Amino acid sequence: MDLQDQLKNLFPDHEPLPEETVEAVPHELYVQKEPMICKFEKRKGKATTIIEGYEGSDADFKILAKEIKTKLSVGGTFKDDAIIIQGDYRDKIMIILKEKGFKVKRVGG
């Protein structure tokens, strides 16, 4: 006996409402005119890539950070209006951002 049959036994007069279909609209990131800065730093002896200069909302920047971390399969965080990625991935990150329509400026080394 599955869940639907059990519910019919408990509530015999209930008529289920027809299910509404909700269309999923993909989220559009704000693409700015000014270039974002992609720089390399060493923190506590470890290489990190830092992306700064996004003018859109923090929620969009967090979505962008998650996409980058997922595509590169690396760890990282979003702190103080910057995305911090573990490792030196400047070239790969710049390619990903350019595919999305962002202008990127490489800083350092």
Side-chain angles (χ1 to χ4, degrees):
M1 187 180 255
D2 66 342
L3 183 62
Q4 293 294 333
D5 294 334
Q6 291 177 3
L7 288 173
K8 286 180 186 176
N9 288 340
L10 289 173
F11 306 103
D13 298 332
H14 178 71
E15 293 293 325
L17 297 173
E19 293 185 22
E20 296 178 12
T21 56
V22 178
E23 294 181 21
V25 178
H27 185 71
E28 293 288 327
L29 291 175
Y30 169 73
V31 180
Q32 62 194 28
K33 294 179 183 177
E34 296 295 317
M36 292 172 61
I37 297 171
C38 185
K39 63 183 177 179
F40 171 78
E41 280 186 12
K42 282 203 168 199
R43 293 189 175 184
K44 298 181 183 175
K46 300 193 179 185
T48 58
T49 304
I50 300 169
I51 305 161
E52 297 176 329
Y54 187 69
E55 297 172 354
S57 69
D58 283 348
D60 287 350
F61 208 30
K62 286 180 183 179
I63 291 170
L64 186 63
K66 186 172 182 178
E67 287 179 17
I68 291 171
K69 291 188 304 184
T70 303
K71 284 187 180 180
L72 296 176
S73 300
V74 296
T77 185
F78 172 79
K79 252 190 217 178
D80 302 326
D81 296 329
I83 299 172
I84 303 169
I85 302 292
Q86 296 173 354
D88 185 10
Y89 293 99
R90 284 178 291 180
D91 297 329
K92 292 179 182 179
I93 290 172
M94 288 175 68
I95 291 169
I96 292 169
L97 292 174
K98 285 180 182 178
E99 287 175 355
K100 292 192 167 290
F102 290 100
K103 293 179 186 174
V104 185
K105 189 182 228 182
R106 183 181 173 133
V107 176

